[in-house]
């Protein structure tokens, strides 16, 4: 989810997003084929992108699960562990295990807050900052390769459609959290 939308919905939910439009009627149980599912196709596309990125970043000693947190920290600066997990859409246990691996590689460190000892911040080490420098170029290369044959108009439309799917999904999630009237 784009960071701006995430914060907009968390802090000041858009009332229009809290009430999603009625469901579409594109799929039917009688002729459902998972290979035609939007979710399945998106998952295959993501798997291909991540697989290509992982193969290219192997030379730098990073996997998708490892460069993700490092990239977030590079862009956002030090973050509390819980916030880093939220931004990566992973649970606290998985985040702890990932940070254990990244700390063993000396790519990040956890630092207890001096203001609130309950809060643990994660920050890049100099080695982590160096390791992450190659990631954006690799990601750009992989994404552009996957978009071969798309026009700029098609690329912008695809991004717009995916953003709408994310926003609708977030509206559905918010509607589920809303107490019954």
């Amino acid at each position: 989810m784009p960071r701006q939308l995430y914060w907009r919905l968390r802090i000041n939910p858009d009332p229009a997003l809290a009430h999603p439009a009625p469901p579409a009627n594109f799929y039917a149980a009688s002729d459902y084929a998972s290979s035609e599912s939007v979710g399945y196709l998106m998952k295959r596309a993501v798997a291909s992108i991540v697989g290509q990125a992982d193969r290219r970043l192997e030379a730098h000693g990073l996997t998708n699960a490892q460069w993700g947190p490092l990239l977030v920290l590079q862009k956002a600066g030090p973050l509390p562990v819980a916030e880093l997990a939220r931004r990566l859409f992973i649970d606290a246990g998985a985040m702890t295990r990932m940070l254990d691996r990244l700390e063993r590689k000396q790519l990040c460190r956890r630092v207890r807050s001096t203001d609130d000892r309950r809060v643990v911040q994660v920050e890049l080490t100099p080695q982590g900052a160096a390791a992450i420098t190659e990631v954006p170029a690799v990601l750009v290369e992989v994404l552009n390769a996957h978009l071969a044959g798309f026009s700029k108009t098609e690329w912008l439309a695809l991004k717009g459609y995916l953003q709408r799917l994310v926003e609708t999904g977030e509206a559905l999630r918010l509607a589920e959290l809303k107490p019954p009237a």
Side-chain angles (χ1 to χ4, degrees):
M1 172 183 319
R3 183 175 171 195
Q4 299 84 1
L5 174 65
Y6 173 79
W7 286 110
R8 189 178 84 211
L9 292 174
R10 276 195 75 200
I11 295 169
N12 189 12
D14 182 341
L17 290 177
H19 303 285
N25 194 21
F26 301 136
Y27 293 101
S30 60
D31 65 350
Y32 178 77
S34 62
S35 62
E36 298 294 318
S37 160
V38 170
Y40 172 79
L41 294 170
M42 288 189 301
K43 189 170 185 165
R44 281 196 59 197
V46 168
S48 179
I49 291 166
V50 168
Q52 287 288 318
D54 273 355
R55 280 189 283 290
R56 293 175 190 200
L57 288 168
E58 190 175 14
H60 304 283
L62 295 173
T63 66
N64 174 60
Q66 293 170 344
W67 61 255
L70 298 178
L71 192 60
V72 169
L73 292 170
Q74 180 198 44
K75 300 287 183 197
L79 291 171
V81 173
E83 178 58 23
L84 183 58
R86 273 192 292 277
R87 289 188 186 197
L88 294 166
F89 301 100
I90 62 176
D91 64 67
M95 186 80 260
T96 298
R97 290 186 298 277
M98 175 53 55
L99 292 175
D100 289 344
R101 287 191 291 278
L102 290 171
E103 281 186 318
R104 278 194 299 275
K105 289 180 147 188
Q106 299 181 342
L107 299 175
C108 73
R109 65 179 148 253
R110 287 174 268 203
V111 179
R112 193 159 301 279
S113 170
T114 55
D115 297 331
D116 184 346
R117 301 230 358 111
R118 296 170 296 178
V119 176
V120 176
Q121 295 272 108
V122 183
E123 59 186 37
L124 285 178
T125 62
Q127 298 94 319
I132 200 66
T133 59
E134 299 299 320
V135 172
V138 170
L139 296 178
V140 163
E141 185 180 307
V142 168
L143 289 169
N144 284 334
H146 278 79
L147 291 165
F150 281 73
S151 69
K152 185 169 186 176
T153 301
E154 291 169 328
W155 169 66
L156 291 170
L158 176 61
K159 284 190 348 178
Y161 299 146
L162 292 172
Q163 287 169 340
R164 279 177 51 196
L165 273 173
V166 168
E167 289 173 5
T168 302
E170 185 62 11
L172 292 168
R173 186 189 70 77
L174 289 172
E176 288 172 356
L177 296 175
K178 197 171 154 186

